[in-house]
Structure formats: structure tokens, C-alpha cells
Amino acid sequence: DYEPLVVRVRSTSTIEVRQVTYSVPSRLIGHQLTVHLRHDRLDLFLKSRFTLTLQRLHRRKGEKGALRRIDFCHVIESLRRKPRALLRAQLQADILPGQAWQQLWRQLLAALPPDEAAKVMVDALHVAAKQGDLAGVERYLRRALRRGDISLTGLREHYGLRPPRGLAALPQLDIPVHQLSSYDELLG
């Protein structure tokens, strides 16, 4: 009925089963999982406790290249700690959930500095995962891009979520720059 396998979760929150890479929740990083490999799915167990079921991918004859099933919900918490990692992620195309989000990512990169675009995209994916509303978050970001007023807190406020903690939660201050001539007046 199934073939038992033992795999270790990598630091990238992925496992490899039969030359196919699957993502798992980031809380499992470093743990050893027992996989019940079935024809259509993988049942994952941590020690003897059932943890997760993943749909199995099969390589077609003659198909070359890496075969992966990455669920952004599994890696979003790790990405939130280091949003700039999205800029150089090897699995970037797999993390973004579909063509529409990949196109949105290219538009964000064109409209914002790369670091800011990564923060906005990761925060948007986090909100989409929390709310279970990929299409709604995508529509909101597209409208914000057209208006030209993308903010990290605007999306969270739209969904009624708490603002992020840490540095992102600090208010943006507008501090005027003094003219150097004013210092000359003090000395004179």
C-alpha cells in the first residue's frame, strides 16, 4: 500500500523524495520525518505523529530538470525574517504562487528599489497565507501599484491585521535637513 522512507528536512524547509523536492512547514527544519510514499500522495510523520499530506509529483518520460512542489505557506515565516532572501532565492519562481504573482513581482521590482519590493512581496504573501485570500491580496497590490501608493501597513490595515512588530512597526519620521550655513551663523 505504501513504501516507508526516512528523510531529513533541510535548512531550506524542503525534503527530497525520489529526486523530487517538496516543501514542508519551516517548524520541521532539522527534523527527521517518516514518509509513507503512496502512488498519489506522501503522508509525513514526525516520530509517530501524523504531520502532513503532500500531493505526489511524478516525472514524465523524457522530462528533464528539477521537479519541485513548493508551497509558499510553508516558507513564508522564514522569509519574513529575511525578506531580502526572496531577491536571490533559488526557488523564487516556485515560491510565488502562479503567473499572476510572478508578473506582480516583476512590476514591484520595476516600481520600487529591490529591498523594498522584497519586503512588500513577502508581507503580501504573509497576509495572503494568513487570510487565505491570494486573489484579493493580488488585486489590492495591483490597485496600489496603479495609484503609486504601496505601503507595508496599508495592506495589513485593509485586512484588519496588526501592524508588524520590530523595525517595520516604527513610524516613518520626516526630519528636515539643516542648511550648513546655519552652523556658520552660530560660529560667527
Side-chain angles (χ1 to χ4, degrees), residues 2-16:
Y2 66 85
E3 179 184 347
L5 301 170
V6 176
V7 296
R8 183 165 297 281
V9 181
R10 299 182 204 145
S11 62
T12 56
S13 192
T14 59
I15 60 172
E16 188 167 328

Side-chain angles (χ1 to χ4, degrees), residues 51 59 62 72 80 104 106 130 133 152 159 164 169-170 173 184:
T51 306
R59 187 176 300 281
F72 77 94
R80 280 189 73 208
L104 185 61
R106 287 189 293 272
K130 288 282 187 200
D133 187 15
L152 288 172
Y159 279 94
L170 295 175
L173 300 176
D184 291 335

